[in-house]
Amino acid sequence: MVTFSTNEKCHETTYTKIVEKLFKIDPDGPILAFAGTMRKEISMLAHLMYDGSDDNLFDHFSIVAQRLRVYIAKDYANILEFLVGKWNVEKLIGFSGD
């Protein structure tokens, strides 16, 4: 089960509703975007953080977060599973064939 903070819950609700609507309007667009995203490495915007001296600041942050189990790779997998289920991706129809 995926749990979100209040702020993250607002993002999740907005994002999933927008994508649900897009799937109804034009299923090809969001499924192609979703497929493209899954083919690439997903990274947090925080990977750009820099404190002016540590070129590997995000890597160090990430290692600590993983060790503390604050936000781990399994969380990403759970979120992806949640979204696929929420959007019923396996049951989508109406694609052009692309």
Side-chain angles (χ1 to χ4, degrees), residues 41-53:
E41 179 181 321
I42 298 173
S43 60
M44 299 291 290
L45 289 175
H47 80 276
L48 300 172
M49 75 170 127
Y50 182 62
D51 65 355
S53 62

Side-chain angles (χ1 to χ4, degrees), residues 2 9 18 26-27 32 36 38 42 52 54 57 59-60 70 74-75 98:
V2 176
K9 183 63 179 171
I18 289 169
D26 173 28
L32 290 171
M38 293 299 98
I42 298 173
D54 186 351
L57 182 60
D59 293 336
H60 296 145
V70 173
K74 181 72 173 147
D75 294 322
D98 289 338

Side-chain angles (χ1 to χ4, degrees), residues 59-79:
D59 293 336
H60 296 145
F61 163 80
S62 181
I63 290 166
V64 171
Q66 289 278 333
R67 283 185 185 153
L68 294 174
R69 302 190 60 77
V70 173
Y71 200 65
I72 60 174
K74 181 72 173 147
D75 294 322
Y76 287 102
N78 289 341
I79 291 167

Side-chain angles (χ1 to χ4, degrees), residues 1-17 44 70-72 74-87:
M1 173 186 234
V2 176
T3 58
F4 297 102
S5 68
T6 303
N7 190 37
E8 288 298 318
K9 183 63 179 171
C10 289
H11 289 125
E12 178 263 328
T13 300
T14 302
Y15 182 69
T16 55
K17 286 183 179 188
M44 299 291 290
V70 173
Y71 200 65
I72 60 174
K74 181 72 173 147
D75 294 322
Y76 287 102
N78 289 341
I79 291 167
L80 178 59
E81 186 177 291
F82 169 80
L83 292 173
V84 166
K86 178 90 172 166
W87 296 325

